[in-house]
Amino acid sequence: MIDIHCHILPGVDDGAKDLAEAVAMARIAYEDGIRDIVVTPHFNSVYMTTADTMRRKLDELRTELDRQRVAIRLHPGNELRIESKAFVERHAARGSFAYLGTPAKFLLMEERWTDYDPDTPEIVARLLDAGVTPVIAHPERHFFFRENPELLPTLIEQGIWTQVSADSLVGNFGAEAREYGRKLILDGHAHTLATDAHNVTRRPNLSAGMAVFEELAGAGARAELEVRMRSILEA
Ligand SMILES: [Fe+2]
């Protein structure tokens, strides 16, 4: 399996606090059946992990995983928050944040926790025009998506993909996130699943979420999901 959303890089945001914890997370991921992790440190107004820092830390962790023989492949990434349209545009122009994987054809992007950014469709349109597909992080955890049932389908219609968190599906973020996450699967609106792991407690477990996906959507849909996720790294 591939995890496209994971705060495994040590000492850059509220994820792994040091190299030892990052290696421990990689071991948990490996045991769970994950073989590829896209490292996605926060890029927002609080934690601004630039692409340069991300790449340096990625190399450091990759070297340590090799040394300890943990067979996880790491890929570059960031989790960009839409602080505002100006924030996204300014940092896109400077190349401050990284896209997902080396093909760099996908961008993990999250809404603010407080409110939906009404400029989202415009930001999405510009990315799509540039050949980049935005992957919206954990929409099931945002109240405005749950309360405005047309909001997310409209963005999907426009061309975004969604990333549903495994922890939501098993109930770790409460009943509302669990139910909406399951509804997205049933509606065919869960394009990818990921862990959004931060440490060894909020751990990189994907298999339980995949099992929920398969139970709700069937084995064929799960196979399609895995092909779709692989395409992010091989686009
Ligand atoms: Fe995250």
Side-chain angles (χ1 to χ4, degrees), residues 94-111:
R94 289 181 192 160
S96 315
F97 56 78
Y99 298 79
L100 296 180
T102 307
K105 292 292 181 198
F106 291 84
L107 173 63
L108 184 66
M109 199 164 77
E110 70 167 351
E111 292 286 345

Side-chain angles (χ1 to χ4, degrees), residues 30-206:
Y30 187 87
E31 287 301 312
D32 193 53
I34 293 167
R35 294 294 177 270
D36 291 89
I37 295 178
V38 183
V39 305
T40 52
H42 289 294
F43 190 95
N44 58 40
S45 55
V46 180
Y47 298 110
M48 203 175 279
T49 314
T50 63
D52 289 347
T53 303
M54 178 276 298
R55 288 208 171 79
R56 187 164 47 77
K57 298 296 258 186
L58 187 156
D59 285 344
E60 190 183 315
L61 179 57
R62 188 179 272 156
T63 302
E64 187 62 14
L65 293 182
D66 285 349
R67 197 180 69 83
Q68 298 204 32
R69 309 229 183 285
V70 183
I72 293 275
R73 290 176 291 267
L74 299 178
H75 307 269
N78 263 128
E79 178 182 17
L80 170 69
R81 181 176 300 159
I82 306 176
E83 298 286 8
S84 68
K85 187 175 76 165
F87 180 86
V88 173
E89 287 179 351
R90 181 166 70 246
H91 291 293
R94 289 181 192 160
S96 315
F97 56 78
Y99 298 79
L100 296 180
T102 307
K105 292 292 181 198
F106 291 84
L107 173 63
L108 184 66
M109 199 164 77
E110 70 167 351
E111 292 286 345
R112 299 182 293 267
W113 292 98
T114 47
D115 60 330
Y116 173 73
D117 194 311
D119 289 329
T120 303
E122 193 183 331
I123 295 167
V124 165
R126 289 195 188 181
L127 287 163
L128 290 169
D129 279 350
V132 173
T133 300
V135 182
I136 298 289
H138 41 62
E140 78 285 356
R141 297 184 58 204
H142 293 269
F143 73 90
F144 41 80
F145 285 131
R146 296 194 301 254
E147 290 175 3
N148 302 284
E150 291 313 308
L151 205 50
L152 193 61
T154 304
L155 293 173
I156 291 170
E157 185 88 354
Q158 200 187 346
I160 64 144
W161 284 13
T162 65
Q163 173 264 301
V164 173
S165 291
D167 268 343
S168 297
L169 297 174
V170 299
N172 289 345
F173 289 122
E176 289 176 308
R178 178 178 181 274
E179 290 318 305
Y180 191 53
R182 288 176 179 237
K183 177 179 160 41
L184 293 178
I185 293 173
L186 291 171
D187 291 350
H189 285 171
H191 303 95
T192 70
L193 297 191
T195 70
D196 195 9
H198 278 65
N199 47 53
V200 293
T201 312
R202 196 173 155 190
R203 52 209 278 135
N205 280 348
L206 193 53

